[in-house]
Amino acid sequence: GAVVSQHPSRVICKSGTSVKIECRSLDFQATTMFWYRQFPKKSLMLMATSNEGSKATYEQGVEKDKFLINHASLTLSTLTVTSAHPEDSSFYICSASSGRADEQYFGPGTRLTVT
Amino acid sequence: GQSLEQPSEVTAVEGAIVQINCTYQTSGFYGLSWYQQHDGGAPTFLSYNALDGLEETGRFSSFLSRSDSYGYLLLQELQMKDSASYFCAVREDDKIIFGKGTRLHILP
């Protein structure tokens, strides 16, 4: 149980374009989903927390107009990187929680490369 | 705010025991979690301690001392597949803050 999928696993896009990443909880209802980014050999940095049906809460320094998050249902959250630039290249990971933030289940991650 | 300290790297021999320490500073404390992450993969949840003491799950155990703001992850009978990064994490309200991770190298 507690499986989270992420799509796509890898994406390469041109600078200035937008990319949408989907995060789905497959076998449980996720009241909260989290979006992280991780640079090579670095820790996970929380970008935003999203609760179903409400606006996402962004961490300090994360541009909400650049990283659009939608949590339309209890099993799906999306992250859209708008007007991507090379510095947005990173590993983006979502996680889902059914109630306890202490126990999060992570998706497999999406490797974004902006050329 | 929160801060977590853990060693950046640890090296151990296959079959041995290794302990990864984590100290934390928090404004409020709900519990200490541990996650494992293999290169190129996503983190996987290992354990969670809300109360003082030792929690054992197979070869892995996790310990917490709230009075010392300290915890550790203990890995026994190390296997090559245990080579990974290990993150301690604490909860702040409804989100988790991760430490910088400890890269575990295992020698044959």
Side-chain angles (χ1 to χ4, degrees):
Chain A
V3 178
V4 177
S5 71
Q6 228 176 296
H7 177 79
S9 58
R10 289 179 179 271
V11 58
I12 300 172
C13 69
K14 291 187 176 180
S15 189
T17 61
S18 295
V19 174
K20 180 186 282 188
I21 302 170
E22 290 188 351
C23 177
R24 294 181 185 271
S25 57
L26 299 184
D27 52 1
F28 68 101
Q29 293 187 326
T31 52
T32 307
M33 286 187 170
F34 304 86
W35 287 95
Y36 298 84
R37 67 186 296 181
Q38 187 178 33
F39 291 105
K41 302 188 188 232
K42 298 293 184 183
S43 188
L44 293 92
M45 298 302 296
L46 180 65
M47 299 175 66
T49 302
S50 75
N51 293 294
E52 185 264 339
S54 61
K55 289 184 179 180
T57 302
Y58 290 81
E59 294 301 300
Q60 193 172 9
V62 178
E63 299 176 58
K64 62 180 181 181
D65 294 330
K66 180 169 183 63
F67 298 99
L68 302 178
I69 291 172
N70 182 279
H71 193 161
S73 75
L74 285 172
T75 60
L76 173 64
S77 177
T78 61
L79 167 68
T80 302
V81 183
T82 63
S83 187
H85 288 97
E87 57 265 30
D88 297 325
S89 298
S90 189
F91 192 47
Y92 291 87
I93 309 174
C94 73
S95 71
S97 169
S98 60
R100 272 179 50 183
D102 312 279
E103 190 167 337
Q104 296 182 16
Y105 297 94
F106 286 84
T110 296
R111 176 79 55 194
L112 171 63
T113 303
V114 184
T115 60
Chain B
Q2 314 272 19
S3 71
L4 299 100
E5 295 292 329
Q6 55 183 127
S8 58
E9 290 185 279
V10 171
T11 300
V13 178
E14 189 176 14
I17 299 172
V18 72
Q19 178 174 312
I20 300 173
N21 298 319
C22 175
T23 57
Y24 58 86
Q25 283 188 314
T26 63
S27 52
F29 181 75
Y30 297 94
L32 185 71
S33 303
W34 288 92
Y35 290 80
Q36 178 193 60
Q37 185 180 31
H38 287 97
D39 286 345
T44 55
F45 173 80
L46 290 178
S47 67
Y48 169 69
N49 294 66
L51 302 175
D52 289 353
L54 189 69
E55 295 278 345
E56 298 182 60
T57 308
R59 295 187 296 115
F60 294 1
S61 304
S62 57
F63 172 82
L64 175 66
S65 169
R66 288 176 298 170
S67 59
D68 295 323
S69 297
Y70 162 76
Y72 66 72
L73 179 69
L74 189 74
L75 297 86
Q76 304 182 69
E77 300 173 21
L78 284 173
Q79 301 176 10
M80 297 305 292
K81 68 178 182 180
D82 297 329
S83 295
S85 291
Y86 293 84
F87 296 87
C88 58
V90 293
R91 180 160 71 97
E92 177 185 63
D93 296 325
D94 292 328
K95 61 189 179 187
I96 289 183
I97 307 299
F98 288 84
K100 294 185 178 179
T102 298
R103 189 160 186 86
L104 174 61
H105 302 279
I106 300 177
L107 303 177

